Amino acid sequence: MSKIILITGASRGFGKLWAKALLERGDKVAATARNVENLNDLIEEYGDSILPIQLDVNDRDACFAAVNKANAYFGRIDVLINNAGFGLFGAIEETTEQQARAQMETNFFGLLWVTQAVIPVMRAQESGHIIQVSSFLGLVTLPVLGIYNASKYAVNGLSETLASEVKSFGIKVSLIEPNGFSTDWSGASAFQTEPNEVYAPIKKAFSDGATPDTWGKPESTTNAVLQLIDAENPPLHFLLGKMAYPGVKQVYSERMAEFEAWKEVSTEAHGH
């Protein structure tokens, strides 16, 4: 049986790749984008199987309207893939208030609005799968991506909580947590802070640390994402790419060692 999938940020990158893969196998897709003209090729190829919806996820009312439109058109929503977002590159000191707020507005609040809109639909169905596109940088951090890291940590905290709240309604929650991939995320879709030269050595070290092998191939993710969508018991945390697991394992091992080193002091602070 084909699935009905709502994907935000479907005009490029992961969103468009995954939308095409789903349509190719016979699923139906409600695809949102700021500019729906970028979906014309999919519309021409797949016709009524794709519903293009113009959406800026920063507009909460528009998010609810988009979800309602998709539900009315297809009759249900089996899967939400919250993919809309962008990267902000720069040191924390360099970041303006406007840049920080814009990063959180799209990556966190936009995801929250679409999530809130789809929950009643899935609750009424007594089924559904909410897939949040986070990042392995919602589990660990890298320099010169501080506000982006913070937005993804917020997404992870929200989604872990959500999973416990909606489980009894038959709704599943997963976090896709990719390492770096060669998408527009670090290119045309990215934003940069105004550089302060004191951070030049840190930025150089960050840049020099990347090799061609660091960046995954976006088109190679489709099979993994289809397996996640089809899984009877999907994971809450789903790492994507070969760099994510060793990076997360190292940081979490170091974190546990630090907790252990300060365990007695922490315990004494409880007072009884």
Side-chain angles (χ1 to χ4, degrees), residues 134-142 176-180 239 243-244 247-248:
S134 182
S135 170
F136 89 122
L137 298 180
L139 298 167
V140 300
T141 63
L142 287 174
I176 295 180
E177 295 166 320
N179 52 223
L239 297 175
M243 309 300 289
V248 171

Side-chain angles (χ1 to χ4, degrees), residues 140-158:
V140 300
T141 63
L142 287 174
V144 306
L145 281 161
I147 308 302
Y148 179 82
N149 296 337
S151 74
K152 295 304 186 179
Y153 265 72
V155 166
N156 280 24
L158 172 82

Side-chain angles (χ1 to χ4, degrees), residues 15-213:
K16 192 163 189 178
L17 275 170
W18 299 343
K20 184 174 176 61
L22 289 160
L23 289 163
E24 280 180 349
R25 75 172 193 171
D27 291 325
K28 300 184 186 304
V29 175
T32 84
R34 287 182 181 236
N35 183 1
V36 292
E37 289 183 2
N38 292 330
L39 298 170
N40 283 346
D41 56 333
L42 296 182
I43 296 167
E44 290 173 8
E45 187 171 358
Y46 296 103
D48 292 342
S49 291
I50 178 170
L51 172 67
I53 303 174
Q54 195 282 326
L55 177 64
D56 177 353
V57 295
N58 295 348
D59 184 336
R60 186 175 188 269
D61 289 342
C63 290
F64 277 75
V67 168
N68 290 336
K69 183 175 182 178
N71 188 44
Y73 185 84
F74 287 120
R76 68 181 193 275
I77 299 173
D78 298 312
V79 181
L80 164 65
I81 302 179
N82 248 326
N83 173 66
F86 68 92
L88 173 64
F89 289 75
I92 291 170
E93 184 183 352
E94 296 171 345
T95 306
T96 67
E97 178 182 354
Q98 182 180 8
Q99 288 171 328
R101 290 187 183 279
Q103 179 78 113
M104 296 301 295
E105 195 69 43
T106 297
N107 288 13
F108 176 72
F109 285 105
L111 175 143
L112 172 59
W113 305 148
V114 181
T115 299
Q116 286 183 327
V118 86
I119 290 171
V121 174
M122 292 183 173
R123 189 156 40 77
Q125 297 169 172
E126 299 183 342
S127 67
H129 190 183
I130 296 172
I131 298 176
Q132 318 282 43
V133 181
S134 182
S135 170
F136 89 122
L137 298 180
L139 298 167
V140 300
T141 63
L142 287 174
V144 306
L145 281 161
I147 308 302
Y148 179 82
N149 296 337
S151 74
K152 295 304 186 179
Y153 265 72
V155 166
N156 280 24
L158 172 82
S159 302
E160 287 185 10
T161 306
L162 178 68
S164 64
E165 292 177 348
V166 301
K167 183 178 181 180
S168 64
F169 305 135
I171 303 172
K172 301 166 184 175
V173 178
S174 295
L175 286 149
I176 295 180
E177 295 166 320
N179 52 223
F181 279 81
S182 300
T183 65
D184 285 338
W185 172 79
S186 58
S189 296
F191 287 80
Q192 303 279 345
T193 60
E194 188 69 28
N196 182 329
E197 284 306 307
V198 300
Y199 293 102
I202 296 171
K203 292 178 182 179
K204 185 178 186 303
F206 173 73
S207 178
D208 290 349
T211 68
D213 197 46

Side-chain angles (χ1 to χ4, degrees), residues 240-258:
L240 206 58
K242 71 177 184 181
M243 309 300 289
Y245 176 79
V248 171
K249 183 178 181 180
Q250 178 183 341
V251 170
Y252 272 55
S253 296
E254 292 171 354
R255 194 169 293 172
M256 288 306 303
E258 187 174 67

